[in-house]
């Protein structure tokens, strides 16, 4: 088993990575939540038939009482109505402040369950058991939890660190190829922003089979990068922004498809390509770098460009949480494996995006 420790003082926690870890979840949770008697498990309609029984058996064997709630799979569950219903069901189950919430699923489940845990009873313990590649390498680590509003994605949320993150790579075997590729967009992002050798390794191992043959090391590498960034800037006011490479423009692509046509991973993939081209036009990014990113995305079936109009770009950038007044902080690359932050007027960014070659 591979272990990473996220050092945040009294909010510190471990990330555990091992095959069949789902079957040992009960004992691992008991070790970090010794006072908990009841666990409230949140999952979705895709994960429920695959993994809930295995988790329930493990939790029961460890002496926990368990209540489970299944929400519809998909981004639409990250909403006020699902959150409200979750709060009510958590309290009706008898959950107390010494108990814990467990998220079993992808990023939607983790965000929704985490925000419910952060706010119910003014905060209860929370355990992440991510079952998608995107959630394992990104959203389950770092403590960002949120729901979507009509105004945009992740606009109501909190920082609420988990007590434990349990990653069982075996759960990735049931992912459709498109969902696996979504996660690979975030995997590739880590190579772009912090580790050229990792990027080169991924470029040399382009197939799902090759990735899965090295999956524990890949998960460890991604989480180690994110751990180091989160320890530097837990609340995303400075250096943690580098984790959003491709996201500022990618959020516009998600919005353009009404959060249905383009997945988060697809939007980030195209957003990274656009950000690399933007960096070239600004004289910061080496001109060969956009092609390198495109070349690693194409074999995975990820888009390198997504159509988007100026109004949608303006709407997304206006709501971006990296904005401050008339300016926005953009994540760019000055070389492969090294991201930098650049503050630009939003108007300049919009003008520059409109002029990008697509």
């Amino acid at each position: 088993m591979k272990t990473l420790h996220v050092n945040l003082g009294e909010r510190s926690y471990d990330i555990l990575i091992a095959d069949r870890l789902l079957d040992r979840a009960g004992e691992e949770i008991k070790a970090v939540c010794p006072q908990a008697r009841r666990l409230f498990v949140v999952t979705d309609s895709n994960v429920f038939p695959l993994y809930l029984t295995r988790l329930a058996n493990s939790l029961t064997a460890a002496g926990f009482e368990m209540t489970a709630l299944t929400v519809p799979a998909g981004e639409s569950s990250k909403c006020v109505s699902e959150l409200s219903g979750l709060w009510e069901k958590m309290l009706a189950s008898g959950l107390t402040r010494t108990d814990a919430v467990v998220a079993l699923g992808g990023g939607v489940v983790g965000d929704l369950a985490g925000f419910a845990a952060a706010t119910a009873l003014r905060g209860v313990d929370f355990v992440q058991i991510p079952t998608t590649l995107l959630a394992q390498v990104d959203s389950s680590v770092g403590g960002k939890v949120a729901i979507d509003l009509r105004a945009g994605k992740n606009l109501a949320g909190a920082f609420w660190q988990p007590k434990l993150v349990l990653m069982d790579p075996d759960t990735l075997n049931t992912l459709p190829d498109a969902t696996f590729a979504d996660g690979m967009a975030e995997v590739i992002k880590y190579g772009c922003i912090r580790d050229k050798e990792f990027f080169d390794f991924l470029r040399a191992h382009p197939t799902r089979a090759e990735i899965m043959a090295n999956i524990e090391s890949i998960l460890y590498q991604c989480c180690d990068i994110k751990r180091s960034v989160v320890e530097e800037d837990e609340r995303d006011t400075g250096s943690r922004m580098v984790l959003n490479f491709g996201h500022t423009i990618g959020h516009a692509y998600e919005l353009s498809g009404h959060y249905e046509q383009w997945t988060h991973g697809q939007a980030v993939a195209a957003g990274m390509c656009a950000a690399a081209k933007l960096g070239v036009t600004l004289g910061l990014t080496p001109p060969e770098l956009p092609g390198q990113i495109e070349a690693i995305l194409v074999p995975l079936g990820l888009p390198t460009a997504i159509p988007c109009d100026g109004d949608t770009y303006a709407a997304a950038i206006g709501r971006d949480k990296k904005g401050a007044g008339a300016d926005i902080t953009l994540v760019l690359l000055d070389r492969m494996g090294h991201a930098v932050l650049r503050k630009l007027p939003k108007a300049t960014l919009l003008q520059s995006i409109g002029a990008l070659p697509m």
Side-chain angles (χ1 to χ4, degrees), residues 48-101:
F48 162 70
L50 296 171
Y51 299 117
L52 184 60
T53 298
R54 282 176 58 189
L55 176 62
N57 289 341
S58 177
L59 298 182
T60 301
F64 290 112
E65 297 179 25
M66 189 198 84
T67 302
L69 174 70
T70 302
V71 300
E75 187 72 25
S76 61
S77 284
K78 274 177 55 174
C79 64
V80 173
S81 61
E82 288 289 348
L83 176 64
S84 178
L86 181 50
W87 280 329
E88 297 296 343
K89 291 180 176 67
M90 287 166 62
L91 298 179
S93 75
L95 196 77
T96 71
R97 292 192 70 182
T98 58
D99 294 323
V101 173

Side-chain angles (χ1 to χ4, degrees), residues 23-151:
D23 300 314
R24 301 201 307 274
E27 60 190 86
E28 299 293 351
I29 295 172
K30 178 67 74 174
V32 298
C33 300
Q35 296 183 65
R37 178 180 60 86
R38 180 180 300 278
L39 299 180
F40 192 96
V41 178
V42 183
T43 189
D44 71 23
S45 53
N46 287 339
V47 176
F48 162 70
L50 296 171
Y51 299 117
L52 184 60
T53 298
R54 282 176 58 189
L55 176 62
N57 289 341
S58 177
L59 298 182
T60 301
F64 290 112
E65 297 179 25
M66 189 198 84
T67 302
L69 174 70
T70 302
V71 300
E75 187 72 25
S76 61
S77 284
K78 274 177 55 174
C79 64
V80 173
S81 61
E82 288 289 348
L83 176 64
S84 178
L86 181 50
W87 280 329
E88 297 296 343
K89 291 180 176 67
M90 287 166 62
L91 298 179
S93 75
L95 196 77
T96 71
R97 292 192 70 182
T98 58
D99 294 323
V101 173
V102 178
L104 174 69
V108 168
V109 167
D111 276 359
L112 176 65
F115 191 35
T119 47
L121 301 173
R122 295 193 174 92
V124 297
D125 287 342
F126 170 48
V127 174
Q128 285 268 26
I129 307 181
T131 60
T132 66
L133 181 57
L134 193 151
Q136 289 184 357
V137 300
D138 189 65
S139 61
S140 67
V141 178
K144 283 185 177 180
V145 293
I147 60 167
D148 304 336
L149 302 178
R150 289 195 187 102

